[in-house]
mmCIF file of all heavy atoms in Angstrom:
data_model
loop_
_atom_site.group_PDB
_atom_site.id
_atom_site.type_symbol
_atom_site.label_atom_id
_atom_site.label_comp_id
_atom_site.label_asym_id
_atom_site.label_seq_id
_atom_site.Cartn_x
_atom_site.Cartn_y
_atom_site.Cartn_z
ATOM 1 N N ALA Y 41 -9.929 44.279 -18.351
ATOM 2 C CA ALA Y 41 -10.631 43.527 -17.310
ATOM 3 C C ALA Y 41 -10.383 42.030 -17.411
ATOM 4 O O ALA Y 41 -10.236 41.346 -16.399
ATOM 5 C CB ALA Y 41 -12.136 43.814 -17.397
ATOM 6 N N ALA Y 42 -10.306 41.506 -18.632
ATOM 7 C CA ALA Y 42 -10.094 40.075 -18.822
ATOM 8 C C ALA Y 42 -8.747 39.639 -18.267
ATOM 9 O O ALA Y 42 -8.632 38.570 -17.648
ATOM 10 C CB ALA Y 42 -10.201 39.715 -20.299
ATOM 11 N N HIS Y 43 -7.720 40.449 -18.483
ATOM 12 C CA HIS Y 43 -6.388 40.125 -17.978
ATOM 13 C C HIS Y 43 -6.382 40.128 -16.452
ATOM 14 O O HIS Y 43 -5.713 39.307 -15.814
ATOM 15 C CB HIS Y 43 -5.356 41.117 -18.506
ATOM 16 C CG HIS Y 43 -5.206 41.093 -19.996
ATOM 17 N ND1 HIS Y 43 -4.373 41.949 -20.676
ATOM 18 C CD2 HIS Y 43 -5.796 40.309 -20.941
ATOM 19 C CE1 HIS Y 43 -4.438 41.700 -21.974
ATOM 20 N NE2 HIS Y 43 -5.307 40.717 -22.156
ATOM 21 N N MET Y 44 -7.111 41.065 -15.885
ATOM 22 C CA MET Y 44 -7.217 41.141 -14.429
ATOM 23 C C MET Y 44 -7.922 39.904 -13.882
ATOM 24 O O MET Y 44 -7.470 39.291 -12.905
ATOM 25 C CB MET Y 44 -8.000 42.407 -14.047
ATOM 26 C CG MET Y 44 -8.154 42.618 -12.547
ATOM 27 S SD MET Y 44 -9.325 43.960 -12.203
ATOM 28 C CE MET Y 44 -8.535 45.324 -13.049
ATOM 29 N N PHE Y 45 -9.031 39.523 -14.524
ATOM 30 C CA PHE Y 45 -9.783 38.364 -14.051
ATOM 31 C C PHE Y 45 -8.970 37.075 -14.161
ATOM 32 O O PHE Y 45 -9.109 36.169 -13.322
ATOM 33 C CB PHE Y 45 -11.080 38.207 -14.843
ATOM 34 C CG PHE Y 45 -11.829 36.959 -14.483
ATOM 35 C CD1 PHE Y 45 -12.575 36.902 -13.308
ATOM 36 C CD2 PHE Y 45 -11.776 35.829 -15.293
ATOM 37 C CE1 PHE Y 45 -13.259 35.741 -12.946
ATOM 38 C CE2 PHE Y 45 -12.459 34.670 -14.951
ATOM 39 C CZ PHE Y 45 -13.192 34.629 -13.776
ATOM 40 N N ASN Y 46 -8.130 36.979 -15.182
ATOM 41 C CA ASN Y 46 -7.354 35.760 -15.399
ATOM 42 C C ASN Y 46 -6.456 35.409 -14.222
ATOM 43 O O ASN Y 46 -6.052 34.248 -14.059
ATOM 44 C CB ASN Y 46 -6.511 35.882 -16.667
ATOM 45 C CG ASN Y 46 -7.362 35.831 -17.921
ATOM 46 O OD1 ASN Y 46 -8.522 35.443 -17.880
ATOM 47 N ND2 ASN Y 46 -6.778 36.245 -19.038
ATOM 48 N N VAL Y 47 -6.134 36.401 -13.416
ATOM 49 C CA VAL Y 47 -5.338 36.141 -12.215
ATOM 50 C C VAL Y 47 -6.086 35.189 -11.282
ATOM 51 O O VAL Y 47 -5.479 34.350 -10.604
ATOM 52 C CB VAL Y 47 -5.003 37.458 -11.477
ATOM 53 C CG1 VAL Y 47 -4.278 37.183 -10.155
ATOM 54 C CG2 VAL Y 47 -4.157 38.358 -12.364
ATOM 55 N N HIS Y 48 -7.409 35.304 -11.260
ATOM 56 C CA HIS Y 48 -8.223 34.499 -10.344
ATOM 57 C C HIS Y 48 -8.139 32.998 -10.639
ATOM 58 O O HIS Y 48 -7.738 32.229 -9.752
ATOM 59 C CB HIS Y 48 -9.672 34.983 -10.373
ATOM 60 C CG HIS Y 48 -10.598 34.148 -9.549
ATOM 61 N ND1 HIS Y 48 -10.539 34.108 -8.166
ATOM 62 C CD2 HIS Y 48 -11.599 33.296 -9.903
ATOM 63 C CE1 HIS Y 48 -11.464 33.276 -7.709
ATOM 64 N NE2 HIS Y 48 -12.118 32.758 -8.749
ATOM 65 N N PRO Y 49 -8.495 32.539 -11.843
ATOM 66 C CA PRO Y 49 -8.389 31.096 -12.076
ATOM 67 C C PRO Y 49 -6.955 30.584 -11.998
ATOM 68 O O PRO Y 49 -6.719 29.459 -11.541
ATOM 69 C CB PRO Y 49 -8.974 30.911 -13.481
ATOM 70 C CG PRO Y 49 -8.926 32.255 -14.118
ATOM 71 C CD PRO Y 49 -9.076 33.235 -13.001
ATOM 72 N N PHE Y 50 -6.005 31.411 -12.428
ATOM 73 C CA PHE Y 50 -4.605 30.975 -12.385
ATOM 74 C C PHE Y 50 -4.141 30.741 -10.955
ATOM 75 O O PHE Y 50 -3.600 29.674 -10.623
ATOM 76 C CB PHE Y 50 -3.704 32.009 -13.065
ATOM 77 C CG PHE Y 50 -2.240 31.705 -12.927
ATOM 78 C CD1 PHE Y 50 -1.686 30.591 -13.536
ATOM 79 C CD2 PHE Y 50 -1.415 32.524 -12.162
ATOM 80 C CE1 PHE Y 50 -0.335 30.296 -13.401
ATOM 81 C CE2 PHE Y 50 -0.070 32.244 -12.028
ATOM 82 C CZ PHE Y 50 0.485 31.133 -12.643
ATOM 83 N N LEU Y 51 -4.369 31.719 -10.075
ATOM 84 C CA LEU Y 51 -3.885 31.583 -8.699
ATOM 85 C C LEU Y 51 -4.732 30.629 -7.870
ATOM 86 O O LEU Y 51 -4.211 29.972 -6.960
ATOM 87 C CB LEU Y 51 -3.825 32.948 -8.017
ATOM 88 C CG LEU Y 51 -2.705 33.869 -8.481
ATOM 89 C CD1 LEU Y 51 -2.685 35.151 -7.640
ATOM 90 C CD2 LEU Y 51 -1.340 33.181 -8.398
ATOM 91 N N MET Y 52 -6.013 30.522 -8.171
ATOM 92 C CA MET Y 52 -6.838 29.602 -7.389
ATOM 93 C C MET Y 52 -6.507 28.154 -7.717
ATOM 94 O O MET Y 52 -6.656 27.269 -6.860
ATOM 95 C CB MET Y 52 -8.328 29.873 -7.609
ATOM 96 C CG MET Y 52 -8.779 31.237 -7.105
ATOM 97 S SD MET Y 52 -8.101 31.741 -5.502
ATOM 98 C CE MET Y 52 -8.822 30.526 -4.397
ATOM 99 N N TYR Y 53 -6.054 27.898 -8.954
ATOM 100 C CA TYR Y 53 -5.578 26.533 -9.236
ATOM 101 C C TYR Y 53 -4.113 26.388 -8.858
ATOM 102 O O TYR Y 53 -3.751 25.619 -7.958
ATOM 103 C CB TYR Y 53 -5.774 26.128 -10.697
ATOM 104 C CG TYR Y 53 -5.048 24.816 -10.939
ATOM 105 C CD1 TYR Y 53 -5.483 23.643 -10.300
ATOM 106 C CD2 TYR Y 53 -3.894 24.757 -11.705
ATOM 107 C CE1 TYR Y 53 -4.787 22.460 -10.446
ATOM 108 C CE2 TYR Y 53 -3.201 23.573 -11.859
ATOM 109 C CZ TYR Y 53 -3.651 22.424 -11.230
ATOM 110 O OH TYR Y 53 -2.952 21.255 -11.354
ATOM 111 N N PHE Y 54 -3.232 27.113 -9.545
ATOM 112 C CA PHE Y 54 -1.800 26.929 -9.325
ATOM 113 C C PHE Y 54 -1.382 27.380 -7.933
ATOM 114 O O PHE Y 54 -0.613 26.696 -7.252
ATOM 115 C CB PHE Y 54 -1.008 27.697 -10.379
ATOM 116 C CG PHE Y 54 0.487 27.599 -10.196
ATOM 117 C CD1 PHE Y 54 1.117 26.367 -10.242
ATOM 118 C CD2 PHE Y 54 1.247 28.736 -9.976
ATOM 119 C CE1 PHE Y 54 2.493 26.271 -10.067
ATOM 120 C CE2 PHE Y 54 2.614 28.653 -9.806
ATOM 121 C CZ PHE Y 54 3.243 27.414 -9.852
ATOM 122 N N GLY Y 55 -1.886 28.533 -7.508
ATOM 123 C CA GLY Y 55 -1.469 29.067 -6.217
ATOM 124 C C GLY Y 55 -2.085 28.348 -5.040
ATOM 125 O O GLY Y 55 -1.419 28.115 -4.028
ATOM 126 N N PHE Y 56 -3.373 27.962 -5.166
ATOM 127 C CA PHE Y 56 -4.067 27.369 -4.023
ATOM 128 C C PHE Y 56 -4.178 25.847 -4.128
ATOM 129 O O PHE Y 56 -3.588 25.109 -3.340
ATOM 130 C CB PHE Y 56 -5.453 27.993 -3.881
ATOM 131 C CG PHE Y 56 -6.238 27.473 -2.708
ATOM 132 C CD1 PHE Y 56 -5.727 27.556 -1.426
ATOM 133 C CD2 PHE Y 56 -7.484 26.896 -2.889
ATOM 134 C CE1 PHE Y 56 -6.441 27.063 -0.335
ATOM 135 C CE2 PHE Y 56 -8.217 26.411 -1.821
ATOM 136 C CZ PHE Y 56 -7.690 26.492 -0.539
ATOM 137 N N ILE Y 57 -4.895 25.338 -5.124
ATOM 138 C CA ILE Y 57 -5.135 23.893 -5.208
ATOM 139 C C ILE Y 57 -3.839 23.123 -5.428
ATOM 140 O O ILE Y 57 -3.578 22.119 -4.755
ATOM 141 C CB ILE Y 57 -6.145 23.592 -6.333
ATOM 142 C CG1 ILE Y 57 -7.513 24.180 -5.995
ATOM 143 C CG2 ILE Y 57 -6.255 22.076 -6.559
ATOM 144 C CD1 ILE Y 57 -8.548 23.998 -7.092
ATOM 145 N N PHE Y 58 -3.012 23.580 -6.364
ATOM 146 C CA PHE Y 58 -1.790 22.841 -6.683
ATOM 147 C C PHE Y 58 -0.827 22.811 -5.503
ATOM 148 O O PHE Y 58 -0.318 21.747 -5.129
ATOM 149 C CB PHE Y 58 -1.116 23.453 -7.913
ATOM 150 C CG PHE Y 58 0.119 22.704 -8.351
ATOM 151 C CD1 PHE Y 58 0.004 21.528 -9.076
ATOM 152 C CD2 PHE Y 58 1.392 23.180 -8.045
ATOM 153 C CE1 PHE Y 58 1.137 20.830 -9.482
ATOM 154 C CE2 PHE Y 58 2.522 22.499 -8.450
ATOM 155 C CZ PHE Y 58 2.401 21.325 -9.174
ATOM 156 N N PHE Y 59 -0.559 23.965 -4.903
ATOM 157 C CA PHE Y 59 0.376 23.994 -3.773
ATOM 158 C C PHE Y 59 -0.195 23.291 -2.555
ATOM 159 O O PHE Y 59 0.547 22.644 -1.803
ATOM 160 C CB PHE Y 59 0.759 25.433 -3.433
ATOM 161 C CG PHE Y 59 1.891 25.965 -4.265
ATOM 162 C CD1 PHE Y 59 1.657 26.882 -5.279
ATOM 163 C CD2 PHE Y 59 3.189 25.533 -4.053
ATOM 164 C CE1 PHE Y 59 2.697 27.362 -6.061
ATOM 165 C CE2 PHE Y 59 4.241 26.009 -4.826
ATOM 166 C CZ PHE Y 59 3.996 26.921 -5.839
ATOM 167 N N ALA Y 60 -1.501 23.392 -2.331
ATOM 168 C CA ALA Y 60 -2.108 22.665 -1.219
ATOM 169 C C ALA Y 60 -1.975 21.161 -1.445
ATOM 170 O O ALA Y 60 -1.682 20.397 -0.520
ATOM 171 C CB ALA Y 60 -3.574 23.057 -1.062
ATOM 172 N N GLY Y 61 -2.204 20.719 -2.682
ATOM 173 C CA GLY Y 61 -2.047 19.309 -3.004
ATOM 174 C C GLY Y 61 -0.619 18.842 -2.824
ATOM 175 O O GLY Y 61 -0.362 17.738 -2.298
ATOM 176 N N GLU Y 62 0.334 19.666 -3.246
ATOM 177 C CA GLU Y 62 1.742 19.319 -3.053
ATOM 178 C C GLU Y 62 2.093 19.242 -1.571
ATOM 179 O O GLU Y 62 2.886 18.391 -1.153
ATOM 180 C CB GLU Y 62 2.633 20.344 -3.755
ATOM 181 C CG GLU Y 62 2.593 20.286 -5.269
ATOM 182 C CD GLU Y 62 3.166 18.992 -5.811
ATOM 183 O OE1 GLU Y 62 4.094 18.431 -5.201
ATOM 184 O OE2 GLU Y 62 2.680 18.524 -6.860
ATOM 185 N N ALA Y 63 1.500 20.128 -0.783
ATOM 186 C CA ALA Y 63 1.736 20.072 0.664
ATOM 187 C C ALA Y 63 1.228 18.761 1.238
ATOM 188 O O ALA Y 63 1.883 18.136 2.082
ATOM 189 C CB ALA Y 63 1.043 21.255 1.349
ATOM 190 N N MET Y 64 0.040 18.325 0.784
ATOM 191 C CA MET Y 64 -0.519 17.079 1.287
ATOM 192 C C MET Y 64 0.337 15.871 0.913
ATOM 193 O O MET Y 64 0.380 14.877 1.638
ATOM 194 C CB MET Y 64 -1.937 16.897 0.733
ATOM 195 C CG MET Y 64 -2.924 17.938 1.233
ATOM 196 S SD MET Y 64 -4.541 17.773 0.413
ATOM 197 C CE MET Y 64 -5.369 19.247 1.019
ATOM 198 N N MET Y 65 1.017 15.967 -0.240
ATOM 199 C CA MET Y 65 1.871 14.861 -0.683
ATOM 200 C C MET Y 65 3.309 14.988 -0.208
ATOM 201 O O MET Y 65 4.149 14.164 -0.558
ATOM 202 C CB MET Y 65 1.850 14.764 -2.206
ATOM 203 C CG MET Y 65 0.507 14.424 -2.804
ATOM 204 S SD MET Y 65 0.613 14.037 -4.583
ATOM 205 C CE MET Y 65 1.110 15.627 -5.256
ATOM 206 N N ALA Y 66 3.600 16.028 0.580
ATOM 207 C CA ALA Y 66 4.992 16.324 0.936
ATOM 208 C C ALA Y 66 5.694 15.157 1.615
ATOM 209 O O ALA Y 66 6.905 14.944 1.434
ATOM 210 C CB ALA Y 66 5.056 17.553 1.838
#
Side-chain angles (χ1 to χ4, degrees):
H43 297 177
M44 181 190 301
F45 175 78
N46 289 345
V47 175
H48 175 68
F50 174 66
L51 287 185
M52 295 318 295
Y53 170 66
F54 178 61
F56 181 57
I57 295 177
F58 183 79
F59 275 106
E62 290 294 327
M64 294 174 188
M65 296 190 294

